[in-house]
């Protein structure tokens, strides 16, 4: 698991890869916190290269969403494969966090 991040016009685009599970969820959380600066207006977390996410990883996403909401930072997820998207849907996370099919859609949504 790793995160590659880039910034564009106040938006952080963080691309996660591999598996996100209990063995690396703390590292995942730390890396997410590290890529978001106080001055960032939005975070897009791209799941294109994520093969699996466990409940521990989902918890990190929820904690991140709550933290960003408190600071007024927009947050969206994108590019999930169908099985991961289904996990987010079944858990109800799709009602809490915006999920988009592509990075372009997510960037458009958070910049609106």
């Amino acid at each position: 698991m790793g995160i590659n991040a880039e910034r564009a016009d106040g938006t952080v685009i963080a691309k996660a890869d591999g598996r996100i599970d209990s063995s690396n969820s703390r590292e995942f959380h730390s890396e997410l916190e590290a890529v978001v600066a106080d001055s960032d207006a939005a975070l897009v977390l791209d799941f294109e290269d994520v093969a699996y996410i466990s409940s521990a990883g989902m918890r990190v996403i929820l904690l991140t969403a709550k933290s960003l909401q408190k600071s007024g930072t927009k947050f969206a997820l994108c590019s999930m494969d169908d099985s991961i998207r289904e996990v987010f849907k079944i858990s109800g996370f799709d009602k809490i966090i915006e999920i988009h099919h592509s990075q372009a859609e997510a960037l458009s949504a958070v910049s609106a």
Side-chain angles (χ1 to χ4, degrees), residues 26 36 39 42 47 51 56 69 71-72 75 79 84-85 88 95:
R26 287 185 186 187
V36 179
S39 61
F47 275 77
Q69 183 180 26
S71 67
F75 182 44
S79 306
I84 292 176
R85 182 181 279 272
F88 276 79
K95 306 277 191 263

Side-chain angles (χ1 to χ4, degrees), residues 22-89:
S22 60
S23 70
N24 61 18
S25 64
R26 287 185 186 187
E27 177 187 353
F28 178 58
H29 193 210
S30 294
E31 287 188 31
L32 272 179
E33 287 181 330
V35 299
V36 179
D38 291 336
S39 61
D40 293 319
L43 170 64
V44 171
L45 183 54
D46 190 318
F47 275 77
E48 183 176 20
D49 297 326
V50 174
Y52 173 81
I53 188 165
S54 72
S55 59
M58 301 279 290
R59 181 178 178 276
V60 170
I61 299 295
L62 184 60
L63 291 172
T64 300
K66 287 182 177 185
S67 173
L68 294 174
Q69 183 180 26
K70 286 180 186 175
S71 67
T73 303
K74 294 180 181 181
F75 182 44
L77 308 174
C78 69
S79 306
M80 295 177 174
D81 76 17
D82 291 340
S83 62
I84 292 176
R85 182 181 279 272
E86 186 68 16
V87 170
F88 276 79
K89 185 177 178 182

